[in-house]
Amino acid sequence: MDHPVASPKRSSAAGGWGALKSCGKHLLGSRAPLSGARAMLKANQPDGFDCPGCAWGDPAHGSSFEFCENGVKAVSWEATDKRTPPKFFAKHTVSELRGWTDYALEGEGRLTHPMRYDATSDRYVPTTWPEAFAAIGAALNALDQPDRAEFYTSGRASNEAAYLYQLFARHYGTNNFPDCSNMCHEASGIALQAAIGIGKGTVLLEDFEKADAIFVVGQNPGTNHPRMLGDLRKAAQRGTRVVVFNPVRERGLERFADPQNTVEMLRGASAPVASHYYQPRLGGDMAAFRGIAKAVFAADDAALDAGKPSVLDRAFLTHHTAGLDAYRAVVDATTWEAIEDQSGLSRADIEVAAQVYLGADKVICTWAMGVTQHRHSVATVRELANVLFLRGHVGRPGTGLCPVRGHSNVQGDRTVGINEKPSAALLDALETTFGFTAPRRHGHNVIGAIGAMLDGSSKAFIGLGGNFARATPDTALVAKALASCELTVHIATKLNHSHLVPGRVAYLLPCLGRTEIDRNARGKTQIVTVEDSMSMVHGSGGINKPASKELLSEIAIIAGMAAATVGSERVDWASLTEDYDRIRDLIERTIPGFAGYNVRVRRPRGFMLRNLAAERNFETETGLANFSADVLPETTEHQRASTTPGTFVLQTFRSHDQYNTTIYGLDDRYRGVYGERRVVFAHPDDLAEIRARMGDRVDIVGNHDDGVTRVAESFRLVPFDMPRGSLAGYYPELNVLVPLSTFGEGSDTPTSKSVLVHLRAPAAA
Ligand SMILES: Nc1nc2c(c(=O)[nH]1)N[C@H]1C(S)=C(S)[C@@H](COP(=O)(O)OP(=O)(O)OC[C@H]3O[C@@H](n4cnc5c(=O)[nH]c(N)nc54)[C@H](O)[C@@H]3O)O[C@H]1N2
Ligand SMILES: Nc1nc2c(c(=O)[nH]1)N[C@H]1C(S)=C(S)[C@@H](COP(=O)(O)OP(=O)(O)OC[C@H]3O[C@@H](n4cnc5c(=O)[nH]c(N)nc54)[C@H](O)[C@@H]3O)O[C@H]1N2
Ligand SMILES: [Mo]
């Protein structure tokens, strides 16, 4: 557990022929290998569409298509020729469909017609667009106040769709914008806003080519950001140190065979990725980075004592940061004992990591859900920033903070106004431009929206994509919350469980996907735009024939609902649907950074939204980069678990064959799991201690004491290289165990990576 060098024992690397084989399978399995393959050639290309997979940036140079196994899955899943037409719904009641798996539901293929829920027959029945819009408008207008409606956004929505959506909701009168981001990188946004004055990363793709050390914390890029793995590997080959913090030995971070590299593929070779692999306990990263800071301060003291120059970037600290003294004090006050106990790493190991940090002139730190889905995630992200500040690793080429985003446009959606706590500047700009009174009350995030639906104060739920019922904690409660609504509306490409808990009035509205051609009434094709993790905004235009001629674009659907709800006096919704350039003009008028939008977005790589922090211009209250001086959490879940025998900390992560709640297949190749998802990974010694054997089935039972019984039944135990006392399994199945009542301090993000549980023999065994 504490060997800092990647284990060379694993013979098979991530990527490679396994990835190519899997791609062929997914293209064929979609039953649309031709359009799928054609679509792949256009993914992330200047004249194609933005891959609906992850939010990793696109290279500036070279136009050869970047191969990505999971990009292929995302594209072929959408470009399938399977359909879920009205006659499918005629055959199956909604109650029956609730018994299907996520995999089986989406496996039916693309939705084709607008559908209305008919309670009498318990079925979705076909309807027309005008009828749907009129009924939705009537239901929204029947609510006694606009704050009774929730407008959920999933991060695949384009800038144009998201902008129109927030315009509609604010014109209607609410800031209730629960967003998938609340369950994802919220802690990063909050922490970075306070630390550097912008809730985004400061790194460009080019910086990865210049860094001497890259710290990869709480992230599994082999599965979730495969194109990032290519960049990491190239860096490793140049001699860049790649320092991984992950409790689980993820194969993609150990060795990677790059499918773009022909020689490597023919030789069956692969290259190591991580130079140092640390396996902290779940939630132990803040302590680990506190330890690095401690070692760095010690090295600085030693240098100064010896009359040598400081090892810190004193110029940066003096001119660009605030709060160093308080931070130093809190680091000094943190004991190595506490650091070792919380992180699960030894002081010696942490000191090695600190040496790598000290030995590098340029450091990047990336992170994702392993950092953001804990109680103390905001403080942890602040600590990552603290450590980078010490040697001036922000706002210099080859350095920076890099939260690696999830959904392909989750960052852009926020930029264009999906925010339950909007700035006064945005609301003022909307009022000036459109002449309606924008709501000033803060709205609901995901946890707030669920609470409001459960206590009856919210009565309508509109979902712009996503799968709210399965992505959120306490699955049964959320289903109850949705079903208690007067109105539920889902704009979607495929059928999922959120659609199967309809409100009294319920609509399922099928939309075009990103791979499909979007033509206006005059036959002109339209493009949309998205923003990646590196703040690059670029255009995306589909190339495939739409899955059904009944489909509308998300923009047309939002405009239709809006016109029927708030009328078209202040916003000419129909005209915006006709030409998305007009929406971009409005974005340019109301959101900073988009000057010349329509011109700049048509340049091959789009344009970069100006990021002042990357220029060392920190728009914080102090005007400087702020150190935080948080103490370590009193106890982490791991420490709490270790005091009660039989208690474990469970994290919920993604398999290699899924995209969030979309399940592409039942394998998790890199972790050696095939044909099933109901598995739970555990340390072999923990299995021995509870007298369980590999393959035994167990029920996982939640320990959280809030009166709710939480059980995930019949999961197969799989031994794995991970810290003792921890467990891991797949989301969304395990969301039944994540409590709605535990969430991040300051972020409200469910604690999906640290759930206290115990195991018991299954009832039937
Ligand atoms: N193919 C594919 N691509 C995707 C997605 C997908 O589902 N499939 N989802 C997209 C989305 S929305 C997102 S947000 C990203 C998610 O990307 P990731 O954040 O990589 O997603 P997870 O699978 O949740 O993996 C979390 C990783 O963090 C580790 N981890 C868990 N807890 C801790 C901890 O306390 N400390 C540390 N250091 N590590 C920890 C886990 O072992 C795991 O390796 O990917 C995006 N891309
Ligand atoms: N336990 C646990 N829970 C988690 C997480 C975790 O790690 N553990 N991760 C969290 C994270 S990081 C995230 S981002 C959320 C994700 O939460 P969501 O974004 O709500 O969920 P997805 O699974 O991405 O949504 C899938 C659905 O989106 C629809 N869809 C696909 N493409 C399109 C499109 O182009 N347009 C429209 N309108 N609809 C489309 C399809 O109908 C599909 O069924 O889940 C969170 N939940
Ligand atoms: Mo996410």
Side-chain angles (χ1 to χ4, degrees):
M1 179 167 127
D2 45 14
H3 21 260
V5 174
S7 144
K9 280 173 290 193
R10 290 279 175 80
S11 52
S12 44
W17 290 108
L20 282 187
K21 211 168 86 190
S22 163
C23 279
K25 194 171 102 187
H26 281 274
L27 282 171
L28 292 169
S30 75
R31 294 204 337 226
L34 273 183
S35 64
R38 192 169 42 124
M40 271 323 291
L41 292 170
K42 290 285 183 191
N44 291 339
Q45 290 305 296
D47 60 340
F49 56 87
D50 181 71
C51 178
C54 73
W56 191 245
D58 304 324
H61 22 259
S63 63
S64 72
F65 114 91
E66 262 208 294
F67 170 88
C68 167
E69 177 192 359
N70 280 345
V72 169
K73 290 182 200 162
V75 168
S76 52
W77 194 249
E78 181 172 297
T80 175
D81 71 357
K82 295 182 194 159
R83 298 289 179 267
T84 313
K87 73 170 187 278
F88 168 86
F89 290 100
K91 254 196 272 168
H92 306 283
T93 64
V94 165
S95 307
E96 180 208 328
L97 292 170
R98 273 200 291 271
W100 290 30
T101 61
D102 304 278
Y103 181 50
L105 289 176
E106 285 210 31
E108 288 296 319
R110 294 286 300 277
L111 296 163
T112 61
H113 284 69
M115 307 295 287
R116 175 176 60 79
Y117 179 64
D118 173 52
T120 323
S121 63
D122 186 30
R123 282 181 173 82
Y124 272 106
V125 295
T127 182
T128 63
W129 288 107
E131 188 277 331
F133 294 149
I136 292 165
L140 284 174
N141 284 326
L143 298 178
D144 62 353
Q145 50 141 312
D147 283 338
R148 299 212 187 283
E150 305 290 346
F151 290 81
Y152 177 66
T153 313
S154 170
R156 218 173 254 199
S158 63
N159 282 353
E160 292 74 7
Y163 181 82
L164 218 58
Y165 194 55
Q166 64 81 37
L167 187 60
F168 165 33
R170 293 201 165 107
H171 191 337
Y172 171 67
T174 185
N175 285 311
N176 284 345
F177 290 110
D179 176 10
C180 74
S181 177
N182 301 143
M183 299 176 272
C184 185
H185 264 295
E186 192 73 61
S188 308
I190 306 268
L192 292 176
Q193 186 72 45
I196 59 169
I198 182 170
K200 302 180 184 182
T202 63
V203 172
L204 287 176
L205 210 47
E206 291 85 316
D207 291 315
F208 280 81
E209 296 168 8
K210 299 176 188 142
D212 306 310
I214 303 171
F215 286 70
V216 179
V217 190
Q219 214 200 323
N220 182 22
T223 287
N224 298 315
H225 304 92
R227 289 179 301 121
M228 171 178 177
L229 208 55
D231 292 307
L232 281 180
R233 205 197 72 136
K234 271 183 239 150
Q237 279 179 321
R238 270 197 329 273
T240 302
R241 300 305 177 93
V242 176
V243 185
V244 170
F245 286 82
N246 197 314
V248 174
R249 283 240 156 207
E250 301 284 19
R251 194 186 304 170
L253 285 166
E254 295 187 314
R255 294 193 77 79
F256 177 58
D258 191 349
Q260 337 253 6
N261 182 330
T262 325
V263 176
E264 191 163 273
M265 292 295 288
L266 289 176
R267 286 208 196 121
S270 64
V273 179
S275 57
H276 298 70
Y277 205 119
Y278 297 100
Q279 292 177 272
R281 293 191 173 130
L282 294 168
D285 304 277
M286 182 179 177
F289 276 75
R290 179 63 47 95
I292 293 178
K294 225 173 150 61
V296 170
F297 281 126
D300 192 49
D301 292 347
L304 296 179
D305 286 349
K308 293 192 193 143
S310 170
V311 303
L312 307 182
D313 184 341
R314 292 284 171 185
F316 176 75
L317 292 172
T318 307
H319 299 297
H320 295 289
T321 69
L324 175 64
D325 293 345
Y327 178 58
R328 168 88 206 228
V330 77
V331 171
D332 287 347
T334 315
T335 64
W336 275 110
E337 193 190 0
I339 290 171
E340 289 189 321
D341 193 34
Q342 259 180 34
S343 70
L345 302 173
S346 70
R347 175 175 175 173
D349 280 348
I350 294 173
E351 284 175 339
V352 173
Q355 283 310 319
V356 176
Y357 175 80
L358 284 165
D361 180 44
K362 303 186 199 87
V363 177
I364 288 175
C365 181
T366 76
W367 69 93
M369 298 304 102
V371 168
T372 61
Q373 296 178 334
H374 297 284
R375 253 185 230 268
H376 55 294
S377 292
V378 173
T380 304
V381 175
R382 297 285 311 257
E383 191 67 13
L384 302 179
N386 289 338
V387 169
L388 287 210
F389 292 160
L390 290 177
R391 286 176 42 88
H393 293 304
V394 173
R396 207 159 39 91
T399 71
L401 292 156
C402 182
V404 183
R405 302 280 165 178
H407 266 302
S408 50
N409 197 40
V410 62
Q411 186 161 317
D413 291 347
R414 266 289 154 84
T415 305
V416 300
I418 301 297
N419 194 332
E420 80 281 4
K421 297 182 196 132
S423 67
L426 171 67
L427 299 178
D428 293 345
L430 295 178
E431 288 186 345
T432 317
T433 307
F434 300 102
F436 60 77
T437 308
R440 299 275 158 174
R441 296 168 307 279
H442 285 175
H444 294 143
N445 59 11
V446 162
I447 294 282
I450 294 169
M453 287 188 277
L454 279 176
D455 74 19
S457 53
S458 281
K459 287 280 170 209
F461 177 94
I462 306 204
L464 177 56
N467 188 356
F468 191 82
R470 296 288 285 167
T472 49
D474 272 333
T475 313
L477 279 175
V478 175
K480 213 171 105 191
L482 286 170
S484 71
C485 284
E486 278 297 303
L487 172 72
T488 53
V489 178
H490 295 281
I491 302 168
T493 51
K494 291 197 177 180
L495 184 61
N496 68 43
H497 274 285
S498 299
H499 313 151
L500 304 177
V501 278
R504 198 179 59 79
V505 176
Y507 285 88
L508 178 50
L509 306 178
C511 65
L512 292 172
R514 206 180 274 170
T515 57
E516 289 165 330
I517 300 168
D518 184 354
R519 270 187 224 287
N520 68 9
R522 285 172 293 119
K524 189 179 159 233
T525 57
Q526 310 253 20
I527 60 160
V528 293
T529 60
V530 296
E531 175 184 340
D532 67 27
S533 289
M534 283 85 199
S535 306
M536 294 294 302
V537 179
H538 45 90
S540 171
I543 57 158
N544 284 338
K545 200 173 136 224
S548 145
K549 55 184 191 330
E550 288 288 325
L551 301 185
L552 291 184
S553 70
E554 289 175 344
I555 290 166
I557 296 172
I558 295 161
M561 295 192 298
T565 309
V566 298
S568 299
E569 274 151 50
R570 303 206 185 268
V571 182
D572 186 349
W573 304 99
S575 127
L576 296 178
T577 309
E578 261 305 286
D579 185 350
Y580 301 167
D581 279 6
R582 295 175 189 152
I583 304 177
R584 285 185 283 272
D585 286 340
L586 292 175
I587 295 177
E588 183 175 336
R589 279 169 66 187
T590 46
I591 314 256
F594 286 92
Y597 199 176
N598 274 310
V599 176
R600 288 200 289 163
V601 82
R602 287 183 165 85
R603 293 182 190 149
R605 217 185 150 211
F607 63 96
M608 193 191 148
L609 281 177
R610 191 143 176 235
N611 183 328
L612 291 173
E615 303 165 17
R616 296 198 163 174
N617 186 347
F618 302 107
E619 292 192 304
T620 59
E621 274 167 28
T622 57
L624 298 164
N626 289 321
F627 278 96
S628 65
D630 296 305
V631 293
L632 294 185
E634 210 170 308
T635 54
T636 58
E637 312 304 294
H638 243 293
Q639 289 172 312
R640 289 171 58 199
S642 63
T643 58
T644 326
T647 303
F648 292 87
V649 190
L650 168 80
Q651 67 144 322
T652 58
F653 58 14
R654 293 153 170 79
S655 84
H656 195 61
D657 268 4
Q658 75 182 80
Y659 193 92
N660 299 340
T661 70
T662 292
I663 313 302
Y664 300 130
L666 302 178
D667 298 346
D668 192 7
R669 200 172 76 240
Y670 294 164
R671 300 194 187 107
V673 171
Y674 295 92
E676 61 181 336
R677 288 181 53 84
R678 297 184 80 84
V679 296
V680 55
F681 300 93
H683 191 286
D685 294 346
D686 282 336
L687 291 191
E689 194 167 293
I690 59 167
R691 298 213 187 94
R693 275 175 323 204
M694 169 174 167
D696 283 356
R697 292 213 166 254
V698 288
D699 289 351
I700 315 170
V701 186
N703 282 20
H704 190 61
D705 185 14
D706 60 356
V708 181
T709 308
R710 300 181 175 88
V711 188
E713 282 170 0
S714 190
F715 280 65
R716 200 171 66 80
L717 282 163
V718 178
F720 215 78
D721 188 349
M722 54 200 271
R724 287 204 64 181
S726 60
L727 300 171
Y730 305 130
Y731 128 80
E733 287 82 349
L734 290 176
N735 256 333
V736 293
L737 296 171
V738 182
L740 268 172
S741 52
T742 64
F743 40 78
E745 284 156 18
S747 66
D748 282 7
T749 299
T751 53
S752 311
K753 297 287 190 275
S754 49
V755 185
L756 285 175
V757 298
H758 62 273
L759 303 176
R760 70 169 191 215

